[in-house]
Amino acid sequence: MASDKPSHRFDPNFTDQVVNGMGPNTTPRNRQVLGALIRHIHDFAREVELTIDEWMEGVKFINALGEIYVKSNKTRNEAHRICDVIGLESLVDEIAHKIVSESGMDPTSSSILGPFWSPNAPFREMGDVIFQDGVPAGGRVVKMHGVIRDITTGQPIPNAVFDIWQASANGKYDFQDPENQTPNNLRGKFRANAEGRYWFYCLHPTAYSLPRDGPSWQLLTLMDRHPMRPAHIHIMVTHPDFQGCTTQLYPSDDPWIKSDTVFAVKDDLVVDFKPIQGDDKAVLELEYNVNLAPKGYKGKL
Amino acid sequence: MASDKPSHRFDPNFTDQVVNGMGPNTTPRNRQVLGALIRHIHDFAREVELTIDEWMEGVKFINALGEIYVKSNKTRNEAHRICDVIGLESLVDEIAHKIVSESGMDPTSSSILGPFWSPNAPFREMGDVIFQDGVPAGGRVVKMHGVIRDITTGQPIPNAVFDIWQASANGKYDFQDPENQTPNNLRGKFRANAEGRYWFYCLHPTAYSLPRDGPSWQLLTLMDRHPMRPAHIHIMVTHPDFQGCTTQLYPSDDPWIKSDTVFAVKDDLVVDFKPIQGDDKAVLELEYNVNLAPKGYKGKL
């Protein structure tokens, strides 16, 4: 953005001096990324005439991010959450996954990973429940099912891994809620069958607030913004021959869907949960088919 | 900086959506600063097409800054040091202190505070030594003296506080070097006399390396840069009626003066240490006069 501030008051050579301080053995990519980062940070400081006190508040803020990370035994990644609150994770996700197919079948839109994915989720049997601690108060059981397909052929992809994680009916994930949930509650991986199908039982998702303490809450308060995320289910679908898809699904009737505080909602990720017939284990069903692009597939740029 | 990347591939409304998410109760200054920060971070990400892995490295880096801060019991402020390594503290300092006087006498240039200032430095008697632990091996004693003056009148400023801190001959400050130095070694405050004069004994400063471990060393390595600061003495001169001056003084013969790794050298801060005559407590002297602007004085913009 152009600035009408008198930034020419300041030494016009200073930023070049810093960027050109990089030595000959910097990799081209590091030179590009770090050079652009330094230029944008300097331009920002000149544009707003950042004060020393404001800059020092920024340093304190950065230290507070790491402090909460250490003190929470690395379960509370506020540095990650701050990136979500300013839309950076959503933007980086868009940059990484902008594919428009040539076949008319688009890959499922990606959305942000967020700070709650776990590498330790267990494989479960197809058709199993992921609420290993039982159905919580207020929880509504959903049978979720669908087919995973190749966008270039429309054919099913056998053996893809479908990883799901979600907050409980109180809006908390397992590691935020050790009094009520055992590790890996409401998490699970399922291996799609020979017809590319998956099915299991989960909960209708619940809208929740980002934590109302700590650095991200401080930033939201400075920006006069609400801390709510619409209800959502996280999924990550992977297969060795396909580009994986990490995304989130949102109930179409959620009140926060137009103002998600981490800017992660996309139109094709908004879904309808429907009353189920003939299954006494669930009250709702969600059919969701996932479309993957083969590895190396670029589509139309 | 203009970019020739096809950034139009990405949603052109996304950044506005994030910035305009700020509510009506954001202060105008917060709206300006946070809005510009979000725009520059998004522009940076689009310009270099930041990858998810690179962004995640950034999140880990931020967490590492706070981690070392907590684990060092807050004595090692790598978030502050990173700002120095990318020239941000020096730039913010320039923005804050750009004053060109109308009287022909300019205020002493400021320079960065750095992470080693302490609010706990003791007042010492005028003419005292600041090397309370004695002269270290290789240390050369300097008699430092001068006058503190008002730039608008040229008259001395009685009772100004002259705060000095410096590394020892091994290149380490007291709190980096508890085996060899007691707290407040090579620190001290002196109150100028009725003629605005100050004098005391310190050491000729020693060039030193930023720490060769931790996040700032990691960043310097990525940029293929050396970690050296030229030898310097830190001073902070304050008085209730004047704009304080925080700065650093550099010996003119220092080999790192043209490539200071924190970009803090300015021409009028380069000084000559001279052999001293008739004082058997020192081998060198440094005369340095400090010029302060009254509070509220803006000068020519």
Side-chain angles (χ1 to χ4, degrees):
Chain A
M1 196 177 67
S3 163
D4 52 7
K5 292 275 172 190
S7 58
H8 57 276
R9 289 207 293 129
F10 308 118
D11 178 355
N13 301 313
F14 181 71
T15 299
D16 282 344
Q17 183 194 342
V18 176
V19 171
N20 296 336
M22 281 190 265
N25 298 315
T26 312
T27 68
R29 180 62 177 166
N30 283 341
R31 190 181 301 278
Q32 179 189 23
V33 172
L34 296 170
L37 183 61
I38 290 168
R39 286 189 194 284
H40 277 290
I41 290 173
H42 285 204
D43 285 347
F44 156 69
R46 281 185 290 251
E47 184 178 317
V48 303
E49 299 201 3
L50 193 67
T51 70
I52 290 179
D53 286 349
E54 288 166 344
W55 161 69
M56 282 206 163
E57 282 298 312
V59 170
K60 280 201 282 185
F61 190 84
I62 297 283
N63 280 326
L65 295 173
E67 202 167 343
I68 202 163
Y69 186 63
V70 174
K71 290 184 174 168
S72 70
N73 200 20
K74 306 196 176 182
T75 59
R76 191 155 165 195
N77 195 334
E78 286 275 313
H80 185 147
R81 185 170 284 122
I82 287 293
C83 293
D84 294 355
V85 163
I86 65 169
L88 181 60
E89 185 176 6
S90 202
L91 177 58
V92 170
D93 174 67
E94 181 194 12
I95 292 168
H97 296 109
K98 193 84 180 180
I99 293 178
V100 180
S101 78
E102 293 169 308
S103 65
M105 187 179 184
D106 287 328
T108 299
S109 287
S110 62
S111 185
I112 68 176
L113 178 68
F116 294 116
W117 178 74
S118 167
N120 304 318
F123 271 97
R124 299 185 191 274
E125 292 296 310
M126 194 72 85
D128 211 347
V129 305
I130 65 167
F131 38 90
Q132 65 188 26
D133 296 335
V135 179
R140 288 179 289 164
V141 176
V142 174
K143 180 178 183 181
M144 184 168 172
H145 61 97
V147 182
I148 301 160
R149 289 204 184 87
D150 177 344
I151 62 162
T152 60
T153 63
Q155 294 300 308
I157 305 173
N159 300 315
V161 173
F162 194 104
D163 185 356
I164 174 175
W165 65 107
Q166 67 176 168
S168 188
N170 63 0
K172 293 186 176 174
Y173 292 85
D174 57 352
F175 42 74
Q176 294 179 295
D177 193 25
E179 314 85 62
N180 300 304
Q181 299 183 58
T182 55
N184 294 318
N185 188 45
L186 293 165
R187 301 178 185 277
K189 291 178 187 154
F190 297 87
R191 192 174 295 279
N193 71 10
E195 289 79 45
R197 292 197 170 275
Y198 73 89
W199 66 97
F200 54 77
Y201 295 89
C202 59
L203 299 180
H204 186 282
T206 299
Y208 61 79
S209 170
L210 301 192
R212 289 173 194 252
D213 64 350
S216 57
W217 173 243
Q218 189 188 350
L219 181 61
L220 285 167
T221 304
L222 286 176
M223 295 196 291
D224 187 29
R225 274 175 39 189
H226 72 71
M228 296 302 293
R229 292 224 60 207
H232 58 277
I233 290 173
H234 291 273
I235 65 173
M236 179 191 285
V237 184
T238 53
H239 185 285
D241 301 332
F242 290 83
Q243 299 178 42
C245 178
T246 299
T247 196
Q248 303 183 21
L249 304 175
Y250 305 90
S252 56
D253 58 351
D254 189 278
W256 306 104
I257 214 155
K258 294 289 183 198
S259 66
D260 177 12
T261 199
V262 304
F263 307 97
V265 178
K266 295 174 186 174
D267 289 346
D268 66 319
L269 302 175
V270 175
V271 295
D272 291 318
F273 290 76
K274 295 177 180 161
I276 196 168
Q277 309 292 340
D279 185 336
D280 59 5
K281 288 193 283 186
V283 292
L284 295 166
E285 77 173 315
L286 172 61
E287 178 175 9
Y288 195 73
N289 300 323
V290 176
N291 303 327
L292 299 185
K295 278 201 173 150
Y297 180 86
K298 299 281 187 197
K300 293 181 288 195
L301 287 177
Chain B
M1 197 177 68
S3 164
D4 52 7
K5 292 276 173 191
S7 58
H8 57 274
R9 289 206 293 131
F10 307 119
D11 178 354
N13 301 315
F14 182 71
T15 299
D16 282 344
Q17 183 193 343
V18 176
V19 171
N20 296 336
M22 281 189 266
N25 298 316
T26 311
T27 68
R29 180 63 178 166
N30 283 340
R31 190 181 300 278
Q32 179 190 23
V33 171
L34 296 171
L37 184 61
I38 290 168
R39 286 189 195 285
H40 277 289
I41 290 173
H42 285 203
D43 285 348
F44 155 71
R46 281 184 289 251
E47 184 178 317
V48 304
E49 299 199 4
L50 193 68
T51 70
I52 290 179
D53 286 349
E54 288 166 343
W55 162 70
M56 283 206 162
E57 282 299 310
V59 170
K60 280 201 282 186
F61 191 84
I62 298 283
N63 280 327
L65 294 174
E67 201 167 344
I68 201 163
Y69 186 64
V70 174
K71 290 185 174 167
S72 70
N73 200 20
K74 307 195 177 182
T75 60
R76 191 156 165 194
N77 195 333
E78 287 275 313
H80 186 148
R81 186 170 283 122
I82 287 292
C83 294
D84 294 356
V85 163
I86 65 169
L88 180 59
E89 185 176 6
S90 202
L91 177 59
V92 170
D93 174 68
E94 182 195 11
I95 292 168
H97 296 110
K98 192 85 178 178
I99 292 178
V100 180
S101 78
E102 292 169 307
S103 66
M105 188 176 182
D106 287 329
T108 299
S109 287
S110 62
S111 187
I112 67 177
L113 179 68
F116 294 116
W117 177 74
S118 167
N120 304 319
F123 270 97
R124 299 185 191 272
E125 291 296 310
M126 193 72 86
D128 210 347
V129 306
I130 65 166
F131 39 89
Q132 65 188 26
D133 296 335
V135 180
R140 287 179 289 164
V141 176
V142 174
K143 181 178 182 181
M144 186 168 171
H145 61 96
V147 182
I148 301 159
R149 289 204 185 87
D150 177 344
I151 62 161
T152 60
T153 63
Q155 293 301 306
I157 305 173
N159 301 315
V161 174
F162 194 104
D163 186 355
I164 175 176
W165 65 107
Q166 65 176 168
S168 189
N170 63 1
K172 292 186 175 172
Y173 292 85
D174 57 352
F175 42 74
Q176 295 179 294
D177 192 27
E179 314 85 59
N180 300 304
Q181 299 183 58
T182 55
N184 294 319
N185 188 46
L186 294 166
R187 302 178 184 276
K189 290 178 187 155
F190 297 88
R191 192 174 295 280
N193 70 11
E195 290 79 44
R197 293 196 169 276
Y198 75 90
W199 66 97
F200 54 77
Y201 295 89
C202 59
L203 300 180
H204 186 283
T206 300
Y208 61 78
S209 171
L210 301 192
R212 289 173 194 252
D213 64 350
S216 57
W217 173 243
Q218 188 188 351
L219 181 60
L220 285 167
T221 304
L222 286 175
M223 295 195 290
D224 187 29
R225 273 174 41 187
H226 72 70
M228 296 302 295
R229 292 224 59 208
H232 58 276
I233 289 174
H234 291 273
I235 65 174
M236 179 191 283
V237 184
T238 53
H239 185 285
D241 300 334
F242 290 84
Q243 298 179 41
C245 178
T246 298
T247 195
Q248 304 183 20
L249 305 174
Y250 306 91
S252 56
D253 58 352
D254 189 278
W256 307 104
I257 215 154
K258 294 289 183 199
S259 66
D260 178 11
T261 200
V262 304
F263 307 96
V265 178
K266 294 175 187 174
D267 290 346
D268 67 319
L269 302 175
V270 176
V271 296
D272 291 318
F273 291 76
K274 294 176 180 160
I276 195 167
Q277 308 292 338
D279 184 335
D280 59 5
K281 288 193 284 187
V283 292
L284 295 166
E285 76 173 315
L286 172 62
E287 178 175 6
Y288 195 74
N289 301 322
V290 175
N291 302 326
L292 298 185
K295 280 201 171 149
Y297 180 85
K298 299 279 188 198
K300 294 180 288 195
L301 288 178

